[in-house]
């Protein structure tokens, strides 16, 4: 008599967990970019992964995620993200997901409050995206922060320095796990260059900085460096934000209107970086520096301010300069301009470093955290 054996081969990932990413918006930023790149990977791996926005305003990142098949919910549009009414609006979502992963202060605080009000058993994960923030300079908020973070089942930080600073601030590190940010390498490796004529930078040595116009990002230093560089240099500033008008005024004061281009928020950043000669980040502080990795993955020399987070990514591959030192920055750019062998050396080192930050590695590490807290 013939005997038939049925062999069950499990799929790579079974659908057993529902995960909700909660963030204030999908405007320009490293945390926002990470969600846009990671959520589709979670869904490919068999998880039900959605995104909830406090501010659901239309943005290039939001459109990109929707085009990738991501499901996005929103609490409101163009509103104060610190409105405590969001606490009650969060409550229905606690019942629908197994793990809720928060990003940014308002989401971190309000999600904990919603869970406490309902007695929900949902597991909470949060990511710390910066080495510092304004809250930490307000003494009475420290015990509040300790309480809020204490209600999370796991805390992820994006760099070793971010982990160290947060651990020292909270007085404990046992719940904190360091997972480096990542990027979809192929999108930058194989991006196509744009027309420099259309960018208004034809025939120029092109420097690019991608960042929101916030105090932290310090576009001012790069603009001042431009005033010390020859007319053959152009600067593209990609992004938007509250300090854009301040930077535009500085460009006028330094008579750089013909050499500095404000491109606003763009959906073709890989192509812009591929078109550039040098990619700069001049931040006063940075948890990781995703834009630095993106520039290196495009095969360009990366120059960054010597701050924790950024230094970890760039040191030993690209070039570091003292925070706010426009003269030193100008000297480093000039050296790359005039010494082609040196340029090729730095570009090659940066490209090699970029391979350490593949988004697939990041997604796998996050999924292990979700599984761990879910099963606990």
């Amino acid at each position: 008599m013939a005997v038939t054996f049925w062999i069950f081969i499990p799929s790579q990932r079974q659908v057993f967990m529902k995960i909700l990413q909660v963030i204030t918006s999908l405007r320009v930023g490293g945390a926002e970019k990470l969600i846009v790149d990671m959520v589709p990977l979670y869904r490919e791996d068999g998880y039900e992964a959605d995104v909830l926005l406090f501010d659901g305003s239309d943005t290039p990142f939001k459109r990109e995620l929707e085009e990738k098949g991501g499901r996005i919910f929103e609490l409101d549009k163009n509103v104060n993200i610190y409105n405590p009414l969001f606490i009650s609006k969060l409550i229905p979502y606690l019942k629908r997901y197994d793990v809720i992963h928060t990003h940014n202060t308002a989401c971190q605080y309000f999600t904990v409050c919603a869970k406490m009000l309902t007695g929900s058993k949902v597991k909470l994960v949060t990511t710390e995206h910066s080495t510092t923030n304004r809250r930490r300079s307000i003494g009475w908020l420290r015990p509040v922060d300790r309480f809020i973070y204490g209600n999370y089942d796991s805390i992820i930080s994006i760099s070793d320095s971010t982990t160290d600073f947060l651990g020292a601030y909270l007085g404990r590190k046992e719940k904190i796990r360091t997972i480096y940010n990542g990027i979809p390498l192929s999108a930058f490796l194989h991006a196509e260059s744009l027309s420099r004529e259309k960018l208004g930078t034809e025939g120029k040595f092109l420097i690019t900085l991608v960042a929101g116009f916030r105090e932290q990002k310090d576009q001012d230093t790069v603009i001042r460096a431009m005033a010390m560089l020859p007319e053959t240099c152009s600067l593209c500033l990609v992004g938007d934000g509250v300090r854009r008008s301040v930077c535009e005024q500085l460009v006028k004061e330094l008579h750089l209107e013909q050499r500095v281009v404000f491109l606003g928020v763009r959906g073709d950043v890989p192509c812009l970086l591929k078109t550039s000669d040098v990619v700069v980040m001049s931040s006063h502080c940075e948890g990781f520096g995703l834009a630095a990795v993106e520039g290196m993955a495009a095969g360009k020399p990366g120059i960054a301010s010597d701050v924790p987070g950024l230094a970890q990514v760039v040191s030993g591959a690209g070039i570091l300069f003292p925070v706010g030192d426009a003269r030193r920055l100008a000297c480093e750019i000039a050296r790359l301009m005039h010494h082609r062998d040196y340029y090729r050396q730095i570009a090659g080192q940066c490209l090699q470093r970029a391979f350490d930050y593949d988004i697939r590695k990041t997604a796998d590490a996050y999924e292990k955290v979700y599984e761990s807290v879910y099963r606990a």
Side-chain angles (χ1 to χ4, degrees), residues 131 159-162 165 180 281-290 292-293 296 302-323 353 357:
T131 53
S159 67
D160 296 331
S161 54
T162 305
F165 280 104
Y180 302 143
M281 284 194 74
S282 52
S283 307
H284 289 301
C285 62
E286 201 70 59
F288 180 79
L290 205 61
V293 179
M296 294 192 291
I303 305 180
S305 50
D306 191 0
V307 296
L310 265 181
Q312 179 182 329
V313 172
V314 176
S315 180
I319 300 167
L320 296 172
F321 71 96
V323 179
R353 175 64 58 80
Y357 300 104

Side-chain angles (χ1 to χ4, degrees), residues 196 199-208 222-237 251 254-261 276-278 280 303 329-338 340 343:
R196 292 204 180 191
L199 292 175
T201 61
E202 188 178 13
K204 301 294 182 70
F205 187 88
L206 181 57
I207 304 150
T208 298
V222 186
I223 294 169
R224 291 193 177 95
M226 283 296 296
M228 305 175 197
L229 288 165
E231 296 286 333
T232 51
C233 281
S234 286
L235 169 64
C236 280
L237 296 173
V251 166
L254 296 175
H255 307 292
L256 296 171
E257 294 96 327
Q258 303 306 311
R259 297 172 55 204
V260 178
V261 182
S276 306
D277 292 300
V278 171
V280 176
I303 305 180
L329 174 57
C331 289
E332 298 293 354
I333 293 171
R335 186 180 178 192
L336 289 168
M337 284 181 63
H338 299 305
R340 299 307 297 174
Y343 180 97

Side-chain angles (χ1 to χ4, degrees), residues 49-200:
D50 301 321
V51 177
L52 175 64
L53 307 177
F54 280 18
D55 176 3
S57 298
D58 185 50
T59 66
F61 277 172
K62 185 182 179 187
R63 292 194 295 272
E64 180 182 344
L65 183 55
E66 288 172 334
E67 289 167 3
K68 291 178 178 177
R71 186 163 59 171
I72 302 173
F73 304 103
E74 55 196 53
L75 299 185
D76 214 324
K77 290 184 178 179
N78 296 312
V79 291
N80 176 12
I81 58 172
Y82 291 98
N83 185 344
L85 292 177
F86 283 158
I87 295 173
S88 61
K89 291 185 177 183
L90 280 164
I91 289 174
Y93 293 93
L94 304 186
K95 304 172 185 177
R96 292 161 53 182
Y97 293 89
D98 301 305
V99 177
I100 293 183
H101 187 158
T102 68
H103 308 260
N104 304 339
T105 303
C107 302
Q108 290 172 331
Y109 271 53
F110 290 169
T111 302
V112 168
C113 292
K115 180 177 178 178
M116 292 177 62
L117 284 173
T118 60
S120 169
K121 300 300 182 182
V122 67
K123 302 293 185 176
L124 298 185
V125 176
T126 192
T127 295
E128 192 72 10
H129 290 280
S130 184
T131 53
T132 188
N133 55 52
R134 286 176 294 179
R135 301 198 315 274
R136 296 185 196 175
S137 63
I138 304 172
W140 64 267
L141 272 178
R142 189 171 186 177
V144 177
D145 267 345
R146 285 177 172 172
F147 175 79
I148 292 295
Y149 283 101
N151 279 274
Y152 279 90
D153 298 283
S154 184
I155 302 167
I156 297 170
S157 85
I158 62 175
S159 67
D160 296 331
S161 54
T162 305
T163 298
D164 292 340
F165 280 104
L166 181 61
Y169 175 68
L170 297 178
R172 56 189 299 179
K173 293 176 67 172
E174 60 268 22
K175 282 188 181 181
I176 307 173
R177 177 174 179 177
T178 304
I179 300 177
Y180 302 143
N181 279 351
I183 65 169
L185 288 172
S186 61
F188 296 88
L189 287 169
H190 306 303
E192 295 185 5
S193 297
L194 302 174
S195 165
R196 292 204 180 191
E197 183 179 2
K198 291 182 179 179
L199 292 175

